[in-house]
Amino acid sequence: MRIHGQTIDEQTRCVHYGTAEDVIAIKFACCGLYYPCHLCHLEDADHPAQQWPVSERDQLAVICGVCSTELTIADYLQVSGCPTCGAAFNPGCRLHTHLYFQTA
């Protein structure tokens, strides 16, 4: 899976977020491309970001950078780590949920 933006390693970390737990990339609803973060999309894409609507929470739109498992939006929003490999996801990402996914 190709991850767009300024990645700094093969586990989807980027120049903006590079901690041990920054191991996800999110498929943006507007373009269907995976980016490590909203800032990577802002810098790389030629269009504004659009959030996934609540009605599409069943879409595969989050990828674990450690094992490449794709998660649905609903599943991602309910876990704190990858259900396949156990890699922890950065809990601080919850602060940016509204940038990627519409809230109910």
Side-chain angles (χ1 to χ4, degrees):
M1 182 74 54
R2 180 160 185 239
I3 308 299
H4 298 264
Q6 296 184 55
T7 58
I8 59 172
D9 69 15
E10 68 285 347
Q11 292 186 337
T12 75
R13 292 177 188 89
C14 68
V15 297
H16 309 105
Y17 300 100
T19 72
E21 294 178 327
D22 289 314
V23 293
I24 64 149
I26 297 173
K27 184 189 303 182
F28 277 73
C30 46
C31 56
L33 300 177
Y34 274 100
Y35 285 91
C37 77
H38 61 101
L39 297 171
C40 284
H41 183 274
L42 179 68
E43 293 172 357
D44 189 66
D46 62 357
H47 58 272
Q50 293 179 3
Q51 294 77 28
W52 286 95
V54 173
S55 62
E56 295 189 33
R57 294 266 167 105
D58 61 340
Q59 294 295 309
L60 291 171
V62 179
I63 192 166
C64 172
V66 176
C67 72
S68 299
T69 293
E70 285 187 282
L71 288 80
T72 66
I73 297 165
D75 288 342
Y76 169 70
L77 293 173
Q78 294 178 14
V79 299
S80 60
C82 180
T84 302
C85 72
F89 296 155
N90 187 337
C93 289
R94 300 284 182 223
L95 300 173
H96 301 145
T97 299
H98 66 286
L99 298 173
Y100 308 104
F101 315 114
Q102 290 180 350
T103 56

